């Protein structure tokens, strides 16, 4: 006799049977619903950014636990960690010369832990690093981000170098997770700690995106004007949205796996 499915399992099973366009529509509707909910309960939007950094920190903590307790970095993309360190370092520079605040302190802590992860992968746990799976060419994202930052950047009164760096770190952050997705695409099996880390990244990116969108809505667009004129304000919003949707597919399969009680996440062909 088959065990009766819970309502959540029934819903997940129904979603799984839907075509990609329906899944995309449901994803957008869910995101908008959560945005409305956040707008109602969160009155200080900077708290969303702090929450985003906190969730990212939790993800890195899970990664550190994996590296120190399991003594393996299998399934982790060194290139994503290096891209993360790069955009954080550039953003920190911009924070110091343009606007020093709580974000600067949070980014400093995140950069320090990311550099430690890079050190562990490169030296202490090099033998477990899946270099053949981590085969995404970094210049595929760094060069386009640099070119776009030359073409589209803030029009504020800061020095042109600082404005270019600001644009570069915004664009690079949006795509820095691509090498990690390539590793998971190559292996098809994601062990629990790596899955928890990537899911935390997805939640952190969504909260960061929500932070920007709600600020724009509540300021009636004045925030976009404050960022400058031209295409730059729209590119900031677009970058936030892109980095959220890049991880949306993985987060769906993560939740589905969690609901099914599976410890190891198995990704179907074509995912990420």
């Amino acid at each position: 006799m088959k065990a009766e499915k819970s309502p959540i399992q029934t819903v997940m099973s129904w979603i799984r049977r839907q075509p990609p366009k329906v899944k995309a529509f449901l994803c957008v509707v869910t995101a908008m619903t959560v945005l409305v909910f956040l707008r109602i309960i969160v009155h200080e939007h900077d708290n969303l950014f702090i929450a985003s950094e906190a969730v990212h920190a939790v993800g890195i903590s899970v990664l550190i636990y994996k590296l120190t307790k399991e003594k393996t970095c299998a399934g982790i993309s060194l290139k994503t960690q290096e891209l993360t360190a790069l955009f954080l370092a550039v953003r920190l520079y911009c924070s110091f010369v343009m606007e020093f605040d709580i974000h600067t302190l949070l980014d400093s802590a995140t950069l320090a832990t990311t550099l430690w992860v890079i050190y562990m992968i490169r030296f202490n746990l090099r033998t477990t690093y899946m270099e053949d799976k981590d085969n995404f060419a970094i210049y595929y994202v760094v060069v386009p981000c640099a070119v776009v930052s030359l073409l589209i950047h803030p029009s504020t009164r800061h020095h042109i170098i600082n404005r270019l760096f600001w644009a570069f770190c915004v664009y690079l952050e949006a795509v820095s997770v691509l090498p990690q997705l390539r590793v998971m695409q190559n292996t098809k099996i994601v062990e629990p700690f790596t899955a928890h880390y990537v899911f935390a990244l997805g939640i952190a990116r969504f909260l960061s995106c929500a932070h920007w969108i709600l600020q724009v809505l509540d300021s009636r667009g004045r925030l976009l004007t404050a960022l400058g004129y031209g295409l730059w304000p729209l590119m900031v919003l677009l970058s936030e949205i892109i980095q959220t949707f890049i991880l949306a597919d993985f987060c769906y399969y993560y939740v589905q796996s969690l609901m099914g009680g599976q410890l190891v996440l198995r990704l179907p062909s074509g995912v990420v």
Side-chain angles (χ1 to χ4, degrees), residues 20-64:
K21 288 184 178 180
V22 174
K23 289 180 181 177
F25 173 75
L26 291 173
C27 180
V28 171
V29 170
T30 301
M32 292 178 66
T33 303
V34 174
L35 277 175
V36 171
F37 178 71
L38 289 175
R39 189 176 188 185
I40 293 172
I41 67 170
V42 180
H43 302 291
E44 181 56 53
H45 294 148
D46 272 350
N47 290 338
L48 285 176
F49 185 85
I50 295 173
S52 169
E53 292 292 313
V55 173
H56 191 181
V58 170
I60 293 179
S61 299
V62 170
L63 209 56
I64 290 174

Side-chain angles (χ1 to χ4, degrees), residues 168-205:
F168 177 71
C169 72
V170 167
Y171 300 144
L172 187 60
E173 181 183 12
V175 293
S176 61
V177 77
L178 288 179
Q180 180 63 58
L181 296 183
R182 172 62 68 83
V183 171
M184 297 188 299
Q185 185 182 56
N186 288 337
T187 59
K188 292 301 178 190
I189 296 177
V190 187
E191 57 80 38
F193 288 116
T194 304
H196 298 335
Y197 163 69
V198 178
F199 180 72
L201 281 185
I203 298 300
R205 298 289 168 87

Side-chain angles (χ1 to χ4, degrees), residues 204-218:
R205 298 289 168 87
F206 175 77
L207 290 173
S208 177
C209 181
H211 165 251
W212 276 98
I213 291 175
L214 292 182
Q215 277 195 314
V216 170
L217 290 175
D218 284 358

Side-chain angles (χ1 to χ4, degrees), residues 82-244:
E82 290 173 339
L83 289 175
T84 300
L86 178 57
F87 84 70
L88 283 171
V90 175
R91 192 160 73 187
L92 265 177
Y93 164 78
C94 293
S95 294
F96 278 116
V97 300
M98 298 169 74
E99 186 181 16
F100 188 95
D101 54 19
I102 183 64
H103 303 165
T104 309
L105 300 177
L106 293 171
D107 280 345
S108 298
T110 306
L111 177 59
T113 52
T114 302
L115 290 174
W116 182 86
V117 169
I118 292 172
Y119 172 82
M120 290 292 288
I121 296 174
R122 278 198 170 276
F123 301 104
N124 289 22
L125 303 173
R126 183 73 188 188
T127 55
T128 63
Y129 171 49
M130 304 169 69
E131 189 170 0
D132 60 321
K133 304 295 184 185
D134 195 11
N135 55 9
F136 190 97
I138 284 184
Y139 58 82
Y140 282 167
V141 292
V142 174
V143 173
C145 287
V147 172
V148 175
S149 65
L150 287 172
L151 299 174
I152 305 174
H153 51 265
S155 55
T156 56
R157 290 175 292 180
H158 301 98
H159 192 279
I160 182 62
I161 297 298
N162 298 336
R163 287 186 278 141
L164 291 176
F165 279 157
W166 182 6
F168 177 71
C169 72
V170 167
Y171 300 144
L172 187 60
E173 181 183 12
V175 293
S176 61
V177 77
L178 288 179
Q180 180 63 58
L181 296 183
R182 172 62 68 83
V183 171
M184 297 188 299
Q185 185 182 56
N186 288 337
T187 59
K188 292 301 178 190
I189 296 177
V190 187
E191 57 80 38
F193 288 116
T194 304
H196 298 335
Y197 163 69
V198 178
F199 180 72
L201 281 185
I203 298 300
R205 298 289 168 87
F206 175 77
L207 290 173
S208 177
C209 181
H211 165 251
W212 276 98
I213 291 175
L214 292 182
Q215 277 195 314
V216 170
L217 290 175
D218 284 358
S219 67
R220 300 179 184 275
R222 288 192 298 273
L223 176 63
L224 294 179
T225 306
L227 290 173
Y229 54 84
L231 293 175
W232 167 245
L234 292 178
M235 287 299 286
V236 172
L237 268 181
L238 183 62
S239 296
E240 292 290 340
I241 293 171
I242 286 174
Q243 64 178 314
T244 300

